Amino acid sequence: MHKRVMDPGESLIASVEQLVRHVRRSAVTGGLSTAASSALARLGREGPQRLTDLARAEGVSQPNMTQLVTRMERAGLVRRTAHHSDGRGVLVDVTDSGMEISRQRRAERDQALEDLVAELTEAEQAAVRLALPALARVIQERHLRG
């Protein structure tokens, strides 16, 4: 078998992808898919949203989001409510049960990352604790610039 040498950029993205997969797999509460977990977390952070806005924000089609919301509604994780200013509009909101599952899943992901960081040397831990928030800040700044 032939292994090709990765350049530093490929190594970094491969490392990030591996980290994200590991942390995502660690969240098991509620047995949610990645898509359901992401939508639920977004609703918890940002509040009720129109289905079309939620679909756009999550990068999925409206029919796929409709199916996902229907499954989450049946599980008691979200509810649909009338839009306060548009009687025809419907908002999707997270329930208390959905918030609790989202909180538990975040705690599981947090613990998985903390467990990994704990296995690093002190210098590596310091580098990670400096680099990851810095990358998050850059992402946030880009998002704000639109």
Side-chain angles (χ1 to χ4, degrees):
M1 182 193 294
H2 178 269
K3 284 190 172 185
R4 68 183 183 96
V5 177
M6 288 192 286
D7 70 35
E10 285 179 294
S11 178
L12 182 60
I13 194 63
S15 299
V16 169
E17 289 170 344
Q18 186 176 16
L19 174 65
V20 168
R21 277 192 307 275
H22 174 78
V23 170
R24 279 187 177 157
R25 280 193 308 259
S26 69
V28 297
T29 297
L32 301 179
S33 67
T34 300
S37 183
S38 179
L40 200 60
R42 180 177 301 278
L43 291 169
R45 277 190 319 273
E46 299 175 8
Q49 296 186 25
R50 289 180 182 266
L51 198 90
T52 53
D53 295 335
L54 183 59
R56 187 178 314 108
E58 289 294 312
V60 300
S61 69
Q62 185 171 344
N64 283 347
M65 185 55 70
T66 299
Q67 291 177 352
L68 181 62
V69 166
T70 298
R71 286 193 304 273
M72 291 193 303
E73 189 175 33
R74 286 183 187 142
L77 304 175
V78 300
R79 66 181 156 268
R80 297 176 207 227
T81 60
H83 193 284
H84 58 279
S85 63
D86 178 1
R88 297 170 300 157
V90 174
L91 295 175
V92 180
D93 194 10
V94 65
T95 63
D96 290 343
S97 176
M99 282 297 291
E100 182 55 31
I101 285 176
S102 188
R103 274 193 290 274
Q104 288 176 18
R105 291 178 70 87
R106 183 175 184 97
E108 290 168 342
R109 292 189 309 267
D110 183 55
Q111 188 61 55
L113 184 56
E114 285 297 327
D115 290 348
L116 290 174
V117 171
E119 293 185 35
L120 301 174
T121 66
E122 284 186 34
E124 290 169 331
Q125 286 182 28
V128 166
R129 293 187 192 284
L130 183 64
L132 291 181
L135 288 171
R137 177 186 48 78
V138 170
I139 292 167
Q140 183 65 29
E141 288 171 357
R142 283 183 172 192
H143 178 72
L144 292 174
R145 287 193 305 255

